[in-house]
Amino acid sequence: DTAPPIVVCPSDITIAAPNGSSSIVLNDLDPTVNDNCAITGVVYNSSGATILNGINDISGQPFNIGNTTIVYTATDVAGLTSSCNFDILVLNSGVLTLNLTPQNASCGESMVIPVSVDNFTDINSLQFTITWDENIIDFNSVSNIIALQGLNNANFGITQVNNGIISFSWSDPDLTGESLPLGSVLFNLNFTVIGNSLDASNINFVN
């Protein structure tokens, strides 16, 4: 036997801890393991927010708020090993999190950047600014702005988009607080790539 095992980890997971809790128990985290002969064992170890180690799979363990990296290692009867890894990001359910989804595109192509939220619970108002390198990506428009009551084009400050700056300001018209499911998209930013093939632009929240 000269072929090592094949180990496939679950996909990365992002989840919010229950209200008032600093951790969450997760199940169904077992890897898929195959070998041309036989597997003698699978072990796991984790690092980051949660430090664990054991045999078989890590399901049923509590994961702390923060990012945990899990590594599975399988060994076959010939002593050959293979590993895989994945991340579990546990969010604090009391902390609003803004997310920008990275994208790749070639020069001249359009690029859509979703702006999403986690832990958007009973929010009455929200303000932030997003920046990018205006020499690499050219701002076109904002779209998909239907997630919040009262949200429209007037909530965006676009006077500085040629300098790579857009601002956002929203208040709940009813002042009762809006809530959205985990990962909801607030809006999309639409760009055209104008830089060279190896260029990259960071897109950041600055306040």
Side-chain angles (χ1 to χ4, degrees), residues 132 134 137-142 156 158 161-162 164 166 188-192:
W132 61 89
E134 72 278 7
I137 53 176
D138 186 37
F139 174 81
N140 292 327
S141 64
V142 177
F156 298 88
I158 60 173
V161 293
N162 289 336
I166 189 169
N188 293 333
L189 294 174
N190 304 299
F191 296 95
T192 299

Short mmCIF file of all heavy atoms in Angstrom, two decimals, residues 132 134 137-142 156 158 161-162 164 166 188-192:
data_model
loop_
_atom_site.label_atom_id
_atom_site.label_comp_id
_atom_site.label_asym_id
_atom_site.label_seq_id
_atom_site.Cartn_x
_atom_site.Cartn_y
_atom_site.Cartn_z
N TRP A 132 -12.10 51.87 -0.89
CA TRP A 132 -11.44 50.96 -1.84
C TRP A 132 -10.42 51.76 -2.63
O TRP A 132 -10.35 52.99 -2.51
CB TRP A 132 -12.48 50.30 -2.77
CG TRP A 132 -13.23 51.30 -3.61
CD1 TRP A 132 -12.88 51.78 -4.85
CD2 TRP A 132 -14.45 51.97 -3.27
NE1 TRP A 132 -13.82 52.69 -5.30
CE2 TRP A 132 -14.79 52.81 -4.35
CE3 TRP A 132 -15.30 51.92 -2.16
CZ2 TRP A 132 -15.94 53.60 -4.34
CZ3 TRP A 132 -16.44 52.71 -2.16
CH2 TRP A 132 -16.75 53.53 -3.24
N GLU A 134 -9.54 53.39 -5.77
CA GLU A 134 -10.26 53.88 -6.95
C GLU A 134 -9.46 53.73 -8.24
O GLU A 134 -10.01 53.88 -9.34
CB GLU A 134 -10.67 55.34 -6.75
CG GLU A 134 -9.54 56.37 -6.81
CD GLU A 134 -8.76 56.49 -5.51
OE1 GLU A 134 -9.01 55.67 -4.59
OE2 GLU A 134 -7.92 57.40 -5.41
N ILE A 137 -10.56 49.59 -8.94
CA ILE A 137 -11.97 49.31 -9.21
C ILE A 137 -12.74 50.63 -9.25
O ILE A 137 -12.51 51.53 -8.45
CB ILE A 137 -12.58 48.34 -8.18
CG1 ILE A 137 -12.36 48.84 -6.76
CG2 ILE A 137 -12.03 46.93 -8.38
CD1 ILE A 137 -13.03 47.96 -5.70
N ASP A 138 -13.65 50.71 -10.22
CA ASP A 138 -14.43 51.92 -10.46
C ASP A 138 -15.87 51.70 -10.01
O ASP A 138 -16.53 50.76 -10.47
CB ASP A 138 -14.38 52.27 -11.95
CG ASP A 138 -15.05 53.59 -12.25
OD1 ASP A 138 -14.94 54.52 -11.44
OD2 ASP A 138 -15.69 53.70 -13.33
N PHE A 139 -16.36 52.55 -9.10
CA PHE A 139 -17.71 52.40 -8.57
C PHE A 139 -18.76 52.67 -9.64
O PHE A 139 -18.67 53.65 -10.38
CB PHE A 139 -17.92 53.36 -7.40
CG PHE A 139 -19.32 53.39 -6.87
CD1 PHE A 139 -19.77 52.41 -6.00
CD2 PHE A 139 -20.20 54.39 -7.26
CE1 PHE A 139 -21.08 52.44 -5.50
CE2 PHE A 139 -21.50 54.43 -6.78
CZ PHE A 139 -21.94 53.45 -5.90
N ASN A 140 -19.78 51.79 -9.70
CA ASN A 140 -20.89 51.97 -10.64
C ASN A 140 -22.18 52.35 -9.93
O ASN A 140 -22.82 53.34 -10.29
CB ASN A 140 -21.12 50.70 -11.46
CG ASN A 140 -19.98 50.41 -12.41
OD1 ASN A 140 -19.36 51.32 -12.94
ND2 ASN A 140 -19.70 49.13 -12.62
N SER A 141 -22.58 51.53 -8.95
CA SER A 141 -23.88 51.76 -8.33
C SER A 141 -24.03 50.92 -7.07
O SER A 141 -23.20 50.06 -6.76
CB SER A 141 -25.00 51.40 -9.31
OG SER A 141 -24.97 50.01 -9.62
N VAL A 142 -25.12 51.18 -6.36
CA VAL A 142 -25.57 50.34 -5.25
C VAL A 142 -26.86 49.66 -5.69
O VAL A 142 -27.70 50.27 -6.35
CB VAL A 142 -25.83 51.19 -3.99
CG1 VAL A 142 -26.36 50.32 -2.85
CG2 VAL A 142 -24.57 51.91 -3.56
N PHE A 156 -27.17 56.60 1.06
CA PHE A 156 -25.77 56.45 0.66
C PHE A 156 -25.18 57.80 0.28
O PHE A 156 -25.77 58.55 -0.50
CB PHE A 156 -25.66 55.49 -0.52
CG PHE A 156 -26.15 54.10 -0.21
CD1 PHE A 156 -27.48 53.77 -0.39
CD2 PHE A 156 -25.28 53.14 0.27
CE1 PHE A 156 -27.95 52.50 -0.10
CE2 PHE A 156 -25.74 51.87 0.58
CZ PHE A 156 -27.07 51.54 0.39
N ILE A 158 -22.53 59.40 -1.88
CA ILE A 158 -21.72 58.98 -3.02
C ILE A 158 -20.88 60.11 -3.62
O ILE A 158 -20.31 59.97 -4.70
CB ILE A 158 -22.62 58.37 -4.12
CG1 ILE A 158 -23.65 59.38 -4.61
CG2 ILE A 158 -23.30 57.11 -3.60
CD1 ILE A 158 -24.46 58.89 -5.82
N VAL A 161 -17.19 58.90 -4.25
CA VAL A 161 -16.92 57.58 -4.83
C VAL A 161 -15.74 57.62 -5.80
O VAL A 161 -15.03 56.61 -5.97
CB VAL A 161 -18.17 56.99 -5.51
CG1 VAL A 161 -19.24 56.69 -4.48
CG2 VAL A 161 -18.69 57.91 -6.61
N ASN A 162 -15.49 58.76 -6.44
CA ASN A 162 -14.33 58.86 -7.34
C ASN A 162 -13.01 58.81 -6.56
O ASN A 162 -11.95 58.58 -7.15
CB ASN A 162 -14.40 60.14 -8.16
CG ASN A 162 -15.49 60.09 -9.21
OD1 ASN A 162 -15.91 59.02 -9.64
ND2 ASN A 162 -15.98 61.26 -9.62
N GLY A 164 -12.82 56.69 -3.96
CA GLY A 164 -12.86 55.39 -3.30
C GLY A 164 -13.52 55.40 -1.94
O GLY A 164 -13.14 54.65 -1.05
N ILE A 166 -17.48 55.59 0.07
CA ILE A 166 -18.93 55.69 0.10
C ILE A 166 -19.37 55.59 1.55
O ILE A 166 -18.82 54.80 2.33
CB ILE A 166 -19.61 54.60 -0.76
CG1 ILE A 166 -21.12 54.87 -0.88
CG2 ILE A 166 -19.34 53.20 -0.22
CD1 ILE A 166 -21.81 54.00 -1.91
N ASN A 188 -25.72 45.57 -2.29
CA ASN A 188 -24.56 45.21 -3.12
C ASN A 188 -23.86 46.47 -3.61
O ASN A 188 -24.53 47.44 -3.99
CB ASN A 188 -24.98 44.38 -4.33
CG ASN A 188 -25.51 43.01 -3.96
OD1 ASN A 188 -25.15 42.45 -2.92
ND2 ASN A 188 -26.37 42.47 -4.80
N LEU A 189 -22.54 46.42 -3.63
CA LEU A 189 -21.75 47.45 -4.28
C LEU A 189 -21.31 46.92 -5.65
O LEU A 189 -20.77 45.81 -5.73
CB LEU A 189 -20.52 47.80 -3.45
CG LEU A 189 -20.77 48.48 -2.10
CD1 LEU A 189 -19.45 48.63 -1.34
CD2 LEU A 189 -21.43 49.83 -2.28
N ASN A 190 -21.53 47.69 -6.70
CA ASN A 190 -21.21 47.26 -8.06
C ASN A 190 -20.05 48.07 -8.61
O ASN A 190 -20.07 49.31 -8.59
CB ASN A 190 -22.44 47.44 -8.96
CG ASN A 190 -23.65 46.69 -8.41
OD1 ASN A 190 -23.61 45.47 -8.27
ND2 ASN A 190 -24.71 47.41 -8.09
N PHE A 191 -19.03 47.35 -9.07
CA PHE A 191 -17.81 47.98 -9.57
C PHE A 191 -17.48 47.45 -10.96
O PHE A 191 -17.96 46.39 -11.38
CB PHE A 191 -16.62 47.67 -8.66
CG PHE A 191 -16.73 48.22 -7.27
CD1 PHE A 191 -17.22 47.43 -6.24
CD2 PHE A 191 -16.34 49.51 -6.97
CE1 PHE A 191 -17.31 47.91 -4.95
CE2 PHE A 191 -16.42 50.01 -5.69
CZ PHE A 191 -16.91 49.20 -4.66
N THR A 192 -16.60 48.18 -11.65
CA THR A 192 -15.93 47.70 -12.85
C THR A 192 -14.43 47.69 -12.57
O THR A 192 -13.88 48.66 -12.02
CB THR A 192 -16.21 48.60 -14.07
OG1 THR A 192 -17.61 48.60 -14.35
CG2 THR A 192 -15.45 48.09 -15.30
#
